[in-house]
Amino acid sequence: MTTPFKGIIAYPVTPFRADGSIDAAMLTRLVERMIDAGVHAIAPLGSTGESAYLDDDEWRLAAETSIAAVARRVPTVIGISELTTQGAIRRARFAERLGADAVMVLPVSYWKLTEAEIMAHYRAIGDAVGLPIMLYNNPATSGIDMSPEFIARICREVPSVTMVKESTGDLQRMHRLDQLTEGRVPFYNGSNPLAFAALNAGAAGWCTAAPNLNAALPLALYEAITAGDLARARAVFRRQLPLLQFIVKIGLPTSVKAGLRLQGIDAGDPRLPLRGLDAEHEATLAAILAALEE
């Protein structure tokens, strides 16, 4: 199955009102803002979207709102990170009914999962829906680290798994996965500070929250890489690197929502136990954002 996903895959935050409920109108505005800026795909309900902190009704509202806002202008991949296979299937089916183009599946663990259990998880989701699956490896948030060899085996044995997002920040894993799959399975960078190296190494795209705050620089990086202009790509990457380092260090929902507020867009606070930025870090972020406008 040929994937439609390439380039800058943008991850919107899930905005909340003062009473803690999801602000669907603001979510629509954020999606519109990134599409207008030129991103190549939208990926709601990832870590940036605080998916882990939403109940079922909220998750459904965020998925429905996002897909409706995109309106098929670019591809949409819906994030799914459920402890149970049953829950993951339920959400994948809902995303399919809404018209998502793919689902991104991150297996999460309370009990340590065996490779056989992870394989069965992906196979069951693939059997339940007709959507392509982006396998997501992010041990920092999921507690599960899948080796390139195991990921390649999942891609061979589960036909629906057609893409891989790698977020360990280990470029060698990307090279190894490309080698093991003979270049047939596109891989995507999920580590913001690795964007230049990963795209230069052949990543099909960059999954990032940065376009919430500045879409022009990630897009310029991708365009320079695809044009083979490495000098420009390196310069564009260096310019945005302080922002990428900051949002990763502080945490995506917290830093992005603070940055949006600094830009005059109120997406609310992150959901507890996450907290907003303190004054010192907010001043640092304000300076970083101001430098990008110079």
Side-chain angles (χ1 to χ4, degrees):
M1 186 180 296
T2 302
T3 171
F5 293 95
K6 64 178 183 178
I8 303 303
I9 302 173
Y11 284 65
V13 295
T14 299
F16 298 121
R17 299 188 184 92
D19 64 3
S21 62
I22 289 179
D23 188 340
M26 178 57 73
L27 179 53
T28 297
R29 178 182 174 187
L30 294 175
V31 170
E32 288 282 356
R33 185 176 188 240
M34 291 192 285
I35 291 178
D36 287 346
V39 302
H40 301 104
I42 298 290
L45 295 164
S47 302
T48 303
E50 298 179 75
S51 179
Y53 303 104
L54 305 179
D55 64 28
D56 277 347
D57 289 341
E58 291 173 326
W59 189 92
R60 286 170 176 254
L61 175 59
E64 189 170 18
T65 300
S66 300
I67 291 172
V70 173
R72 296 195 177 278
R73 288 173 290 173
V74 297
T76 305
V77 55
I78 297 291
I80 296 174
S81 51
E82 286 289 291
L83 278 170
T84 68
T85 302
Q86 180 184 20
I89 288 173
R90 184 176 65 251
R91 290 190 169 181
R93 284 175 169 162
F94 185 73
E96 184 175 36
R97 289 196 299 272
L98 289 175
D101 296 285
V103 290
M104 181 183 67
V105 176
L106 176 72
V108 292
S109 177
Y110 180 85
W111 296 106
K112 183 176 177 60
L113 300 180
T114 66
E115 288 191 350
E117 289 167 335
I118 296 169
M119 178 70 79
H121 184 70
Y122 278 103
R123 184 175 286 116
I125 298 167
D127 289 344
V129 297
L131 295 175
I133 296 172
M134 178 184 285
L135 179 150
Y136 182 15
N137 188 45
N138 189 351
T141 58
S142 71
I144 295 172
D145 190 2
M146 294 175 279
S147 70
E149 290 76 12
F150 179 50
I151 292 172
R153 184 158 67 88
I154 294 174
C155 293
R156 287 195 305 271
E157 297 184 18
V158 184
S160 296
V161 178
T162 62
M163 307 169 273
V164 175
K165 176 185 173 184
E166 174 58 63
S167 293
T168 60
D170 182 350
L171 188 62
Q172 291 305 311
R173 290 183 182 229
M174 298 183 188
H175 286 303
R176 180 61 174 153
L177 179 65
D178 189 58
Q179 179 185 39
L180 289 166
T181 63
E182 298 180 333
R184 291 191 297 266
V185 178
F187 63 90
Y188 301 78
N189 174 54
S191 173
N192 285 297
L194 197 68
F196 171 78
L199 289 171
N200 195 37
W206 173 18
C207 302
T208 177
N212 285 279
L213 303 178
N214 185 304
L217 288 173
L219 287 164
L221 172 61
Y222 179 74
E223 290 161 5
I225 290 286
T226 55
D229 189 347
L230 294 187
R232 171 163 168 73
R234 188 175 290 107
V236 169
F237 177 67
R238 285 175 176 166
R239 188 174 176 206
Q240 63 191 295
L241 184 56
L243 175 63
L244 303 178
Q245 291 169 325
F246 183 90
I247 64 177
V248 169
K249 178 181 178 181
I250 299 300
L252 298 174
T254 297
S255 57
V256 170
K257 287 186 172 181
L260 286 168
R261 187 173 286 118
L262 288 167
Q263 294 177 342
I265 300 172
D266 187 3
D269 294 320
R271 180 160 285 178
L272 294 173
L274 301 179
R275 299 181 66 86
L277 285 189
D278 59 30
E280 179 182 357
H281 285 105
E282 186 171 304
T284 299
L285 179 56
I288 290 170
L289 292 174
L292 295 182
E293 298 299 322
E294 293 175 355

